[in-house]
Amino acid sequence: MTAPLLSLEGVSKTFHVRPVLGAVRRVEALRNVTLSVDPGRALALVGESGSGKSTCGRAVIRHFEPSAGTIRFRGEDIFEGWTRQGDRAYLRAVQMVFQDPFASLNPTHTIRHHLERPLRLHGGPGDLEARLRGILSDVELDPATTLEKFPHQLSGGQRQRVSFARALAVGAELIVADEPTSMLDVSIRKSVLDLMRRLKEERNIAFLYITHDIATAHYIAEETAVMFAGQVMERGPSDAVISSPRHAYSKLLISAVPDPARRFDAGADDALAFTRQAEAVRASAARPVAGYREVAPGHFVAYAEAENA
Ligand SMILES: Nc1ncnc2c1ncn2[C@@H]1O[C@H](COP(=O)(O)OP(=O)(O)O)[C@@H](O)[C@H]1O
Ligand SMILES: [Mg+2]
């Protein structure tokens, strides 16, 4: 067994939202999350909007410190006891690719500028121009038509490729990709997923792949974790979690994925019954997780206190 590259151990994050009027509201965005990612492998974090996926990714890139728990990279706590050198190495090794590539690209700089700077800063063998071209070819962009352009002159898919190229230029070992294809045209989503898969297989880059699109989780990630209301409901090999989910919430989430092969011909009564049942499952899943049952090797399913009593 390889040691994990990244691990989260009992990570919680509570936000205190202060409205202009009224009392401070506590939002438990992450509750006791335990996960790990092995080198060169991908873990998909799936779940509906608001389940805590992005909060998890942002804790990993150290946007904020968790309220509780530990995040380790190569076994070392990412918030404690690092030399400045170790610290800088972490900031290089872990890169985030966002849903909106514009968010991470400077509109006033060419693609060349975006990639040259990190390449120069972080050194490496070969001359700069050759490395620049190498990285563009890694993300399947044509240097001749890309380098001198500004972000707005590229398509959404090309911009997202530049985001990945930049992560490579910095020397990423782990990429936190937060809904990287959800703003892209459906027709080019798969090519960006293919790119991620190739970076994983050929460059040994590990991914924390955040998505609400379960079908794509399976395509990229060896392992999948289902989140709801800040907790991990189930995690394990993607095949098992997606094809035969064991937790009631995972079943609900996966059954909600539109299946073109299945006709929706249930009557209104059935639809209402389904809605009621879905609400009950969600209410139950929101309760604190008491522990996890390992139902098959590496496949963990949450249980709440009462169920175990
Ligand atoms: N900076 C913040 N301040 C207050 N609440 C936040 C903040 N960031 C996220 N949240 C809340 O935390 C919960 C999880 O959000 P998020 O991690 O963005 O979910 P997801 O990415 O799964 O949609 C939501 O209820 C969201 O409103
Ligand atoms: Mg999000």
Side-chain angles (χ1 to χ4, degrees), residues 86-167:
D87 213 58
R88 279 215 302 272
Y90 183 74
L91 291 176
R92 279 205 303 272
V94 180
Q95 294 293 313
M96 189 141 178
V97 169
F98 297 91
Q99 181 174 3
D100 176 7
F102 274 125
S104 52
L105 301 176
N106 185 327
T108 66
H109 286 148
T110 61
I111 304 311
R112 173 185 289 281
H113 181 96
H114 278 95
L115 301 178
E116 249 180 28
R117 235 182 122 246
L119 282 177
R120 211 178 270 130
L121 276 170
H122 303 125
D127 77 285
L128 191 64
E129 200 62 24
R131 288 165 64 212
L132 195 55
R133 279 158 202 281
I135 270 182
L136 280 174
S137 89
D138 278 343
V139 299
E140 295 151 342
L141 285 174
D142 174 13
T145 59
T146 313
L147 274 176
E148 314 310 329
K149 288 201 171 135
F150 291 91
H152 74 270
Q153 294 174 303
L154 301 179
S155 71
Q158 289 172 324
R159 272 195 293 277
Q160 207 53 305
R161 285 173 191 278
V162 172
S163 307
F164 283 106
R166 205 169 52 160

Side-chain angles (χ1 to χ4, degrees), residues 270-292:
D270 287 353
L272 187 62
F274 178 80
T275 305
R276 289 222 177 96
Q277 196 194 340
E279 273 165 17
V281 168
R282 293 163 59 90
S284 167
R287 291 185 302 158
V289 166
Y292 293 88

Side-chain angles (χ1 to χ4, degrees), residues 13-18 25-30 45-58 64 178-179 210-212 227 229-230:
K13 175 66 188 177
T14 304
F15 291 109
H16 298 274
V17 184
R18 286 165 219 286
R25 198 166 50 88
R26 283 163 49 90
V27 179
E28 294 186 84
L30 294 178
L45 267 189
V46 305
E48 63 191 80
S49 175
S51 55
K53 307 182 299 296
S54 295
T55 302
C56 201
R58 284 163 55 219
F64 46 71
D178 192 350
E179 311 266 10
I210 295 172
T211 184
H212 62 268
M227 285 189 74

Side-chain angles (χ1 to χ4, degrees), residues 160-201:
Q160 207 53 305
R161 285 173 191 278
V162 172
S163 307
F164 283 106
R166 205 169 52 160
L168 295 181
V170 174
E173 292 169 60
L174 170 73
I175 296 179
V176 177
D178 192 350
E179 311 266 10
T181 66
S182 60
M183 284 182 65
L184 303 179
D185 202 89
V186 175
S187 63
I188 56 167
R189 282 184 192 169
K190 184 167 172 293
S191 69
V192 172
L193 296 175
D194 282 331
L195 171 66
M196 289 169 60
R197 206 151 89 162
R198 259 196 337 97
L199 294 178
K200 191 177 63 140
E201 281 159 13

